[in-house]
Amino acid sequence: MTTSPERRRTDAKAARTSGPGHPARRDRHGRGLRGRLVPATVPLARTKAEIFDDLVLDTVESLERRYAKELAGVEFAVEDVPPELNVYDSDVLEDGEVPLARLLPGRPGRHELPPRIVLYRRPLEFRAMDREDLADLVHDVIIEQVANLLGVDPDELA
């Protein structure tokens, strides 16, 4: 027995719905949706951005334990990529032509802005071979920027 194309479409549509207006959540092979590939409790479930943020926090927390008074008002931030500027000021730590981090000194006055250190995640990740290398690079960049902010030699902070 052969069925018309219209009849097949109607049958397929009826098979996809599991009630009034509720799709049955099946893929084209009829297996249904798959769950997460990795449970949320294992380290593999963390995104690159979350891992990078943790590396930054580890370095900042170790610095704040030793230099709590000096770093009391300093903000640390992470951006994916640097802004598109033709020329960068001296407050930008560069590798060749690519900015890795930026120190924005605070502005006292009526609209007081605290000092801010911004790390650019993608350029730093691109330069690292593995996670340990990335951790070292993040640590070195933060040390360099904090040293510039405090006006000390980076070797004194490390």
Side-chain angles (χ1 to χ4, degrees):
M1 177 177 166
T2 60
T3 58
S4 69
E6 186 63 38
R7 172 86 175 144
R8 278 182 269 166
R9 271 189 239 121
T10 306
D11 291 343
K13 185 175 180 184
R16 285 194 306 260
T17 58
S18 62
H22 295 91
R25 305 275 189 231
R26 299 259 180 221
D27 65 4
R28 68 186 182 132
H29 299 290
R31 292 187 208 123
L33 291 180
R34 303 195 180 209
R36 295 179 59 118
L37 294 177
V38 179
T41 57
V42 298
L44 189 60
R46 300 186 48 80
T47 64
K48 286 183 178 183
E50 291 171 334
I51 292 168
F52 188 86
D53 290 345
D54 288 343
L55 294 174
V56 171
L57 281 174
D58 290 343
T59 302
V60 169
E61 286 173 353
S62 69
L63 280 173
E64 284 180 339
R65 281 192 294 268
R66 292 184 291 166
Y67 303 99
K69 182 179 176 186
E70 293 88 347
L71 297 177
V74 179
E75 293 180 355
F76 293 86
V78 173
E79 292 183 13
D80 283 339
V81 292
E84 300 234 3
L85 299 174
N86 293 335
V87 178
Y88 291 100
D89 297 332
S90 62
D91 61 349
V92 176
L93 179 64
E94 295 178 308
D95 179 21
E97 295 289 319
V98 180
L100 302 178
R102 185 173 194 171
L103 169 64
L104 301 167
R107 290 189 299 194
R110 186 171 157 205
H111 300 288
E112 185 174 325
L113 291 175
R116 184 174 196 181
I117 295 174
V118 181
L119 277 75
Y120 301 118
R121 180 177 65 87
R122 298 290 300 263
L124 289 167
E125 286 178 341
F126 184 71
R127 280 155 183 75
M129 296 294 180
D130 56 14
R131 191 173 291 178
E132 289 178 22
D133 193 28
L134 180 61
D136 292 339
L137 184 58
V138 166
H139 180 267
D140 292 344
V141 167
I142 291 175
I143 292 290
E144 179 86 21
Q145 294 294 47
V146 169
N148 287 342
L149 177 66
L150 300 179
V152 299
D153 187 39
D155 294 333
E156 291 178 30
L157 297 177

